[in-house]
Amino acid sequence: MTQIQAWAGHGPKQKLERYTYDPGPLGAEEVEIAVDYCGLCHSDLSIINDEWRMTKYPVVPGHEVVGSIIAMGKQVKGLKIGQKVGVGWNADSCMHCHECIGGNHNLCLTAQPTIVGHRGGFAERVRAHWVWTIPLPDGLDIASAGPLLCGGITVFSPLLTFNLKPTHHIGIVGIGGLGHMGLKFARAWGCEVTAFTSNASKADEARNFGAHHVVSSRDQSALRKMANSLDMLIVTVNLPMDWAGLLRTLKPNGRLHVVGAVVEPMPIPAIDLIFGQKSVSGSPTGSPVTLATMLEFAARHHIAPQVEHFPMSRINEALEHLEAGKARYRVVLEADFN
Ligand SMILES: [Zn+2]
Ligand SMILES: [Zn+2]
């Protein structure tokens, strides 16, 4: 295989630059994908800027890849050349630990993130293990599907994992890249859906995405009125919140589930957990089977993220747009290396 053209970051807060690398021989279980589109996720920014102290430079970000299979190793199963596929946060996992064999590959302790110590999808081509190469179902719009592979799975996975029922009332906190997809999934699931946002200007859009009700997350009296009404809250923001106030919106046995990487520790009053038998939890993206299930659900219910497109050659402009909080609601880059 020839060298791969990509966009890479060489240090925190530095602009991405054109970068070419030799991917070496294709592994027996590896798939090589020609990138059509790649979503831009907030975690790309965190990795570019080494906010999680795990970045390996030069870093080729991009972990919401959509493209076509152009090469396969000898041991690859169930895929074919030319097939449209997606790759998300993980590109590989060990395949022999309890989590991998149990189907929870996303919990594998040695899972290989697509953009840490591995080159991601802001490139003309990208590689992944065949298990983590997820076929895209017919009927899914490939130009907007990218963000489902990280942002989408992150808000979909808790609905499956915690057996959310159509009779449940779910709250989604934060109506951004993740939250707007959460509203669409929860509505299609059949639930009563409440959007919590600090930005009143997003209320009408939140209703269009599927919210039955919109509540200001900064309004203490509005939170108090919601007491004992929700079965589950999915928190997609990465800022400190009124955690005690949010916990009180849950019914007995309710769950506050965190998918936004809040850096500050969360003060959780034990008494609010004990009375009402409430839980606080978190989860990372999803397994390959959950990814495939989510894509089928999205295709069947015509769920697509609301995206803005940029050519990949304007990657730095797209990153600034995201960092400024201007993305409505998710950015997708179109590979344009030729
Ligand atoms: Zn992501
Ligand atoms: Zn494993």
Side-chain angles (χ1 to χ4, degrees):
M1 273 289 171
T2 54
Q3 297 217 316
I4 295 181
Q5 300 185 70
W7 287 90
H10 296 270
K13 302 285 174 196
Q14 290 185 24
K15 287 198 184 309
L16 301 193
E17 292 171 8
R18 278 293 290 269
Y19 172 72
T20 302
Y21 70 93
D22 180 350
L26 188 68
E29 308 221 42
E30 267 189 317
V31 176
E32 189 159 299
I33 299 152
V35 178
D36 293 321
Y37 300 96
C38 191
L40 178 52
C41 176
H42 216 275
S43 324
D44 290 311
L45 265 180
S46 300
I47 293 293
I48 291 168
N49 292 325
D50 197 20
E51 285 164 20
W52 300 338
R53 299 277 172 262
M54 59 196 281
T55 304
K56 296 189 174 88
Y57 295 105
V59 55
V60 177
H63 59 275
E64 292 182 338
V65 183
V66 165
S68 307
I69 297 180
I70 52 166
M72 302 193 299
K74 286 193 174 60
Q75 304 294 329
V76 170
K77 297 175 183 71
L79 298 171
K80 54 180 192 287
I81 297 288
Q83 193 169 6
K84 288 288 180 199
V85 292
V87 175
W89 177 254
N90 289 312
D92 199 356
S93 58
C94 81
M95 305 297 166
H96 63 80
C97 71
H98 281 238
E99 282 71 24
C100 282
I101 290 177
N104 299 310
H105 306 62
N106 56 318
L107 305 181
C108 175
L109 295 180
T110 57
Q112 171 61 63
T114 302
I115 62 170
V116 183
H118 180 278
R119 271 91 171 214
F122 297 167
E124 54 177 346
R125 307 194 308 273
V126 69
R127 289 179 175 181
H129 191 284
W130 61 270
V131 167
W132 283 101
T133 304
I134 316 297
L136 300 184
D138 292 340
L140 205 65
D141 169 37
I142 65 160
S144 61
L148 294 170
L149 292 153
C150 179
I153 189 65
T154 298
V155 289
F156 178 87
S157 177
L159 310 185
L160 265 190
T161 306
F162 301 108
N163 298 313
L164 199 78
K165 296 187 177 129
T167 47
H168 281 163
H169 185 176
I170 181 168
I172 307 284
V173 182
I175 308 310
L178 269 63
H180 91 284
M181 287 187 266
L183 294 176
K184 291 183 177 206
F185 280 130
R187 181 64 182 250
W189 205 267
C191 297
E192 184 175 0
V193 184
T194 295
F196 291 82
T197 175
S198 58
N199 185 346
S201 71
K202 288 184 177 174
D204 287 341
E205 277 184 304
R207 284 189 189 91
N208 289 337
F209 295 141
H212 296 93
H213 323 281
V214 181
V215 171
S216 167
S217 52
R218 292 211 179 121
D219 180 349
Q220 302 251 338
S221 72
L223 281 188
R224 270 198 296 277
K225 276 188 205 140
M226 292 290 299
N228 294 306
S229 60
L230 299 170
D231 296 279
M232 188 186 216
L233 259 175
I234 297 184
V235 181
T236 69
V237 298
N238 55 5
L239 298 167
M241 302 291 295
D242 175 7
W243 300 112
L246 288 175
L247 270 176
R248 284 177 211 128
T249 66
L250 293 170
K251 288 179 196 167
N253 283 318
R255 175 179 297 276
L256 189 156
H257 191 76
V258 182
V259 295
V262 188
V263 178
E264 292 81 4
M266 298 162 56
I268 301 290
I271 207 79
D272 287 314
L273 294 183
I274 294 166
F275 294 106
Q277 200 166 277
K278 295 172 185 175
S279 307
V280 177
S281 52
S283 60
T285 62
S287 71
V289 165
T290 309
L291 276 161
T293 305
M294 179 268 304
L295 292 177
E296 285 161 19
F297 185 85
R300 189 161 63 250
H301 292 282
H302 309 291
I303 293 172
Q306 183 168 314
V307 301
E308 299 173 273
H309 282 101
F310 284 76
M312 212 171 270
S313 50
R314 284 166 57 201
I315 175 75
N316 288 305
E317 204 181 311
L319 283 165
E320 280 168 27
H321 186 69
L322 174 68
E323 200 158 19
K326 291 181 184 161
R328 292 290 181 277
Y329 276 82
R330 206 76 176 169
V331 172
V332 170
L333 302 164
E334 300 165 21
D336 61 342
F337 289 89
N338 297 319

